[in-house]
Amino acid sequence: MVFKDIFFPKICLSCGFLGSYLCLSCQRKLIKVSHDTCFYCRRRSFTGLTHPGCKRRLGVEGFLSVFHYNDVLKRSIKNIKYRLVKEALFELLTLIPPSFISKLAFFKNDKLYLQPIPLHNRREKERGFNQAELIAQFLSQYLPFPLIDGLIRTKDTASQSKLDARKERLANIRGAFVSRESAKVGGRQIILIDDVVTSGATVSQAAKVLKRSGATEVYVFTLAKG
């Protein structure tokens, strides 16, 4: 590890400071989500549960996120994805307060599973990892929920971050997922895992596919929300 740090030193993905992937100064600029909100109306909600009046038949039942998607996190996550810095994601995950993980334990249920949002095969091969899957694996170390591989990404969509209008994002992601029959999601409760949610188009589309395949409830957990 010493030799690796000498020849390939860690550089802050946000400001370029030498020594770590997210320096102490940038860590202090991360803004934790102070109160949970309904996925649809964005108003306060206990543990992020969807308000009764906001519920949709093929929608999500709850939404939890750790950080606000500010400039520091945008630069960091963008660099993790496009500079292929897998180790940096692990460093970022260690900054998740235990209290946020314990919120997920509130949903303790023997039918509940963690489902990372999948990447298209081509993109995952290029990147070498799926950040959502790594987040799910990290959470599974602290939670009694097994991982499930119930979704396949069949459409190699353009990056959602490069699309501004919500209509464009919805059109871009429509039809991007299909259910993996062998996963047997029927009768199960699913927590969808992703790195960031902004418009919510990606997780909404994934939730619809899971619900149509028989999932009884779908929740969402992300590292950041915009």
Side-chain angles (χ1 to χ4, degrees):
M1 182 62 71
V2 174
F3 289 106
K4 182 178 180 181
D5 290 341
I6 291 173
F7 292 106
F8 303 98
K10 294 180 180 179
I11 298 174
C12 179
L13 299 179
S14 177
C15 71
F17 189 81
L18 196 66
S20 66
Y21 290 120
L22 196 63
C23 70
L24 288 176
S25 176
C26 289
Q27 287 182 30
R28 296 189 188 102
K29 294 175 183 176
L30 294 177
I31 303 172
K32 298 182 182 68
V33 173
S34 59
H35 58 269
D36 303 315
T37 58
C38 169
F39 181 78
Y40 295 103
C41 69
R42 300 299 175 98
R43 288 181 293 181
R44 286 193 183 216
S45 172
F46 176 68
T47 63
L49 293 174
T50 300
H51 294 138
C54 297
K55 285 189 174 182
R56 304 178 185 183
R57 185 175 64 87
L58 298 177
V60 304
E61 275 70 32
F63 169 50
L64 291 173
S65 195
V66 183
F67 301 106
H68 288 286
Y69 197 40
N70 63 5
D71 288 340
V72 170
L73 211 46
K74 284 179 183 178
R75 287 191 293 266
S76 299
I77 290 179
K78 182 178 179 179
N79 278 313
I80 287 170
K81 289 180 178 179
Y82 302 112
R83 285 175 52 191
L84 314 181
V85 191
K86 184 177 178 180
E87 288 183 8
L89 179 59
F90 295 136
E91 193 169 300
L92 185 57
L93 291 174
T94 62
L95 300 177
I96 299 177
S99 58
F100 282 81
I101 298 176
S102 65
K103 288 180 184 179
L104 287 174
F106 174 80
F107 300 116
K108 187 174 181 180
N109 188 304
D110 59 2
K111 293 183 179 180
L112 205 150
Y113 295 78
L114 303 177
Q115 168 65 60
I117 292 290
L119 288 175
H120 188 270
N121 283 340
R122 183 191 66 80
R123 189 161 298 185
E124 186 165 356
K125 286 179 180 178
E126 288 180 353
R127 193 173 297 174
F129 63 91
N130 175 3
Q131 66 279 0
E133 185 175 354
L134 295 179
I135 295 170
Q137 289 172 356
F138 175 82
L139 293 173
S140 69
Q141 298 176 69
Y142 306 97
L143 296 166
F145 310 139
L147 271 66
I148 191 172
D149 187 16
L151 289 172
I152 302 172
R153 194 163 193 151
T154 57
K155 185 179 175 183
D156 192 6
T157 57
S159 174
Q160 291 285 82
S161 63
K162 296 179 181 179
L163 303 175
D164 294 325
R166 177 174 171 78
K167 286 184 177 180
E168 290 181 339
R169 294 189 176 203
L170 288 170
N172 182 53
I173 203 69
R174 189 174 292 118
F177 304 107
V178 296
S179 178
R180 191 185 300 274
E181 292 183 10
S182 60
K184 298 179 181 178
V185 300
R188 292 177 172 177
Q189 296 174 330
I190 309 293
I191 299 180
L192 277 171
I193 309 293
D194 207 358
D195 54 353
V196 180
V197 66
T198 50
S199 68
T202 300
V203 292
S204 292
Q205 184 65 30
K208 285 181 182 179
V209 172
L210 290 170
K211 285 285 190 73
R212 286 172 177 151
S213 298
T216 57
E217 294 179 349
V218 177
Y219 301 89
V220 175
F221 179 90
T222 64
L223 192 59
K225 68 175 181 178

